[in-house]
Amino acid sequence: MQNYKNHNFQKKKYVFVKIKFFSSRDIQLTSTITVPEGMLVIGGWNQESGLLRENPNSGGFYKQVYFLSDNVWSLVGNLNEPVSDATVIRVGEWIVTVAGDSANNNVERFKWNGREIENVETISKHENTILRPIAFESYKNFCTFQN
């Protein structure tokens, strides 16, 4: 084991900046992915949104995509269907969302142009609720699914 007493470590001072939330609602179970310009926050769920529904415990799912850059939030687009507990992965020029829990459990993809999302497509659907599914890039035209 090394003796760290004699090492000269520099103390770094970190400053955390509190920023305003991206929504006036308490949206939980969102998914995030970084982009060169900042961070995207995708979908989510809110308990209060379900209080007016037949099943008040169902909550409400969201399809909005928010962008955080320079400590400022902006709405940059919508998915085709709401998602929560999703996994997000970049595959080439596409950003792919695999819904974990939602009404439709879609797999959607879109492109990020640096300002907004575009070319939103539903490419698949799964029948089960899979909270935070594992997604990875595989061989072309090859799908792995284990139930």
Side-chain angles (χ1 to χ4, degrees), residues 40-51:
L40 298 177
V41 175
I42 301 165
W45 176 84
N46 174 272
Q47 174 67 39
E48 293 174 6
S49 297
L51 295 179

Side-chain angles (χ1 to χ4, degrees), residues 64-122:
Q64 291 83 0
V65 178
Y66 289 93
F67 173 56
L68 175 64
S69 180
D70 297 322
N71 298 329
V72 176
W73 289 104
S74 54
L75 178 64
V76 292
N78 292 297
L79 298 176
N80 291 328
E81 296 292 334
V83 299
S84 79
D85 295 282
T87 292
V88 182
I89 184 174
R90 184 179 295 272
V91 180
E93 61 184 1
W94 294 96
I95 295 174
V96 179
T97 63
V98 181
D101 187 15
S102 68
N104 297 307
N105 291 329
N106 284 348
V107 178
E108 297 187 40
R109 70 181 185 176
F110 60 86
K111 292 183 181 177
W112 171 249
N113 70 14
R115 296 179 316 280
E116 61 187 2
I117 68 170
E118 56 188 15
N119 302 86
V120 180
E121 300 176 5
T122 301

